Amino acid sequence: MRVAVFGGDGFVGWPTCLHLSNAGHDVTIVDNLSRRRIDTELGVQSLTPMDSIQERLRIWKQVSGKTIRFELLDIATEYTRVKLWLDEFRPDALVHLAQQRAAPYSMKSDRLKTYTVNNNTNATHNLLSALVELGLDTHFIHLGTMGVYGYSDIGATIPEGYLTVNVRLDDGQEVSRKILYPADPGSVYHMTKCMDQIMFAFYANNDQIRATDLHQGIVWGTHTDQTRRHEQLVNRFDYDGDYGTVLNRFLIQAAIKHPLTVHGTGGQTRAFIHIQDSVRCIELALNNPPARGERPKIFNQMTEVFRIRDLAKLVSELSGVEIVYLPNPRKEASENDMKVANQQFLDLGLEPITLQVGMLEELVHVAGKYAHRIDASKIPAQSGWTADLQSRISTIVDFNPAQRKV
Ligand code: USQ
């Protein structure tokens, strides 16, 4: 298939491109390289050393014999170029990952809230609008988030996108309807993913766009089968207070004997998935598109559920590093339970990598290997969800032993 991967230079995008190229698809990356710009803005860098996108693609060609093309394009602001490019490339499928994906970054300031909304919603809408205008029947695969559901415990398993509700009609009869699960975003970033869902529903209904929305949990891990093939194909790994996700942060903290930074009680329960499974799921979605006229297909792209303090305990037991419970800079429930349906991917053959199996490898072969590149001053969370919570940030930074030594 001809596949366009928008955001193919990012953490999920890069291994997705290699995975799909390896599977024989004709892949082109479209990216504005904004993730690299944000690293510079925040004064941070990936734990793993990353080459330029052109160099990465040169190495991929050398290692695999396969070509992945690259187009430097900002799909959120350059609508006309996006349309011209789509008209020329005419992909069978597109994978849309070209969005600002960090919740803390999206809550840092009014400027970054606005940037996140403008970038994420315009990116999605520009692609949808161009497909309709060009009359392309491209399968639109979007990386969404588990966070669209919120994390409140209602005592029922979170379904895959749609909730069955019974509606009492005016004449007293009851009918059953499937509706989009009520959106309950926990950050401006998550809010944009909720808005994406509405756009897919509208364009699937109005223009028969074939859309798949992948509600992904927190990704952990670094390597996939393809990124392992050469040192210069390595994936990025974020550990800073804005872009680092919780388990990857705990792993590098363990590697440098930095206390594991649990926010609040650590009673927050979240869904997780390994990066290798993430790219497999995208391929499964690619091979199983919805029919024209069907409502958007929604998958829960996650494999395991953990409470944050239990994750910290696991990493602590493995590494001997202590846990610290810090004031939570986020506005989120301090304790929640969560059960999530993910049968669709299991039925399609996904065999999940479990944390118990994969974590040790990460700790030794990634966090340990690159520990010399860690800047401990970038570890503390820097973004409060409200002005009140922002005032706790100095407590978090002061609490941080690594920071105290500086
Ligand atoms: N947390 C800690 N200590 C830390 C970092 C985080 O206790 O040092 C806690 C947070 O307070 C939160 C939980 O861990 O309760 C998860 O935080 P996270 O930074 O790992 O994940 P999150 O901000 O939710 O966002 C990440 C990705 C996002 C994706 C989302 C999936 O950045 O792109 O959509 O995970 S989900 O969480 O299921 O919505």
Side-chain angles (χ1 to χ4, degrees):
M1 268 188 252
R2 281 163 81 78
V3 186
V5 180
F6 294 89
D9 187 46
F11 172 59
V12 177
W14 174 243
T16 297
C17 293
L18 300 189
H19 187 81
L20 297 181
S21 173
N22 185 63
H25 297 291
D26 173 10
V27 177
T28 295
I29 292 176
V30 181
D31 202 299
N32 66 356
L33 305 183
S34 59
R35 190 60 199 85
R36 294 174 189 252
R37 177 190 59 75
I38 292 173
D39 272 349
T40 307
E41 174 190 335
L42 296 174
V44 300
Q45 61 176 0
S46 163
L47 173 74
T48 49
M50 272 168 71
D51 284 327
S52 70
I53 184 72
Q54 291 87 350
E55 176 66 1
R56 282 172 143 187
L57 295 179
R58 184 183 73 81
I59 299 292
W60 176 243
K61 172 89 181 167
Q62 189 181 298
V63 164
S64 69
K66 294 172 195 294
T67 300
I68 298 178
R69 285 175 301 274
F70 168 61
E71 187 74 23
L72 182 64
L73 180 55
D74 186 334
I75 63 166
T77 60
E78 299 181 278
Y79 178 71
T80 306
R81 280 193 63 210
V82 172
K83 197 165 95 177
L84 286 172
W85 186 84
L86 280 171
D87 196 18
E88 196 183 316
F89 188 65
R90 306 186 85 79
D92 301 304
L94 68 83
V95 184
H96 173 30
L97 310 132
Q99 296 187 302
Q100 194 297 98
R101 69 101 181 135
Y105 186 78
S106 80
M107 300 301 288
K108 249 176 137 58
S109 67
D110 56 343
R111 180 179 71 81
L112 295 179
K113 287 175 183 172
T114 308
Y115 164 72
T116 302
V117 170
N118 288 343
N119 182 74
N120 291 8
T121 55
N122 282 330
T124 302
H125 191 262
N126 284 349
L127 290 176
L128 286 164
S129 177
L131 291 185
V132 171
E133 191 59 24
L134 296 167
L136 293 177
D137 185 29
T138 303
H139 175 201
F140 191 128
I141 300 169
H142 172 249
L143 194 68
T145 175
M146 283 297 302
V148 296
Y149 302 118
Y151 314 104
S152 61
D153 174 26
I154 57 158
T157 300
I158 296 175
E160 303 206 60
Y162 298 98
L163 185 66
T164 307
V165 294
N166 290 331
V167 183
R168 187 176 292 279
L169 303 181
D170 290 347
D171 64 8
Q173 281 188 70
E174 260 202 10
V175 293
S176 183
R177 291 273 183 277
K178 270 192 191 290
I179 60 166
L180 261 182
Y181 195 92
D184 186 12
S187 72
V188 165
Y189 152 73
H190 287 101
M191 184 181 79
T192 65
K193 297 284 187 179
C194 297
M195 291 153 86
D196 287 335
Q197 294 192 98
I198 307 288
M199 291 192 245
F200 298 131
F202 172 75
Y203 280 103
N205 185 41
N206 199 64
D207 300 285
Q208 292 75 54
I209 289 285
R210 294 183 299 134
T212 296
D213 204 0
L214 305 172
H215 290 180
Q216 182 163 259
I218 300 171
V219 183
W220 65 280
T222 322
H223 293 306
T224 63
D225 292 342
Q226 306 314 320
T227 65
R228 269 194 199 90
R229 288 173 70 177
H230 193 286
E231 182 79 9
Q232 285 174 269
L233 296 177
V234 70
N235 200 9
R236 64 175 300 130
F237 183 115
D238 301 302
Y239 65 90
D240 61 278
D242 288 309
Y243 274 86
T245 50
V246 65
L247 179 56
N248 279 359
R249 276 166 62 75
F250 288 169
L251 292 171
I252 61 97
Q253 290 167 1
I256 59 165
K257 306 287 176 214
H258 181 292
L260 309 179
T261 56
V262 171
H263 293 165
T265 63
Q268 308 93 311
T269 305
R270 296 290 184 270
F272 290 83
I273 184 166
H274 189 275
I275 185 72
Q276 177 71 69
D277 287 340
S278 177
V279 303
R280 282 192 190 124
C281 286
I282 291 171
E283 185 187 19
L284 289 170
L286 186 71
N287 292 334
N288 293 277
R292 215 167 152 75
E294 206 181 306
R295 66 171 183 221
K297 219 172 182 176
I298 300 179
F299 292 85
N300 289 340
Q301 188 160 307
M302 51 70 66
T303 56
E304 293 181 286
V305 165
F306 291 101
R307 214 174 272 279
I308 302 301
R309 64 171 168 259
D310 294 337
L311 275 185
K313 276 183 202 147
L314 272 175
V315 178
S316 174
E317 278 160 20
L318 209 61
S319 62
V321 171
E322 64 166 321
I323 301 171
V324 286
Y325 293 87
L326 298 169
N328 195 342
R330 305 185 185 200
K331 196 165 181 174
E332 59 184 2
S334 58
E335 302 274 332
N336 71 290
D337 281 323
M338 203 174 169
K339 274 200 208 144
V340 184
N342 66 345
Q343 200 56 42
Q344 294 184 99
F345 275 134
L346 298 178
D347 288 347
L348 290 173
L350 180 70
E351 291 175 14
I353 295 171
T354 61
L355 194 70
Q356 293 289 357
V357 173
M359 196 167 66
L360 190 61
E361 193 212 325
E362 281 297 322
L363 190 56
V364 178
H365 295 295
V366 180
K369 178 173 176 187
Y370 297 106
H372 61 282
R373 286 173 53 88
I374 297 170
D375 176 352
S377 73
K378 301 300 179 190
I379 290 178
Q382 297 288 350
S383 178
W385 258 226
T386 60
D388 186 33
L389 292 170
Q390 186 61 32
S391 66
R392 295 179 176 189
I393 294 297
S394 58
T395 325
I396 295 174
V397 174
D398 288 346
F399 203 88
N400 185 310
Q403 188 76 355
R404 273 208 303 265
K405 277 186 220 145
V406 173

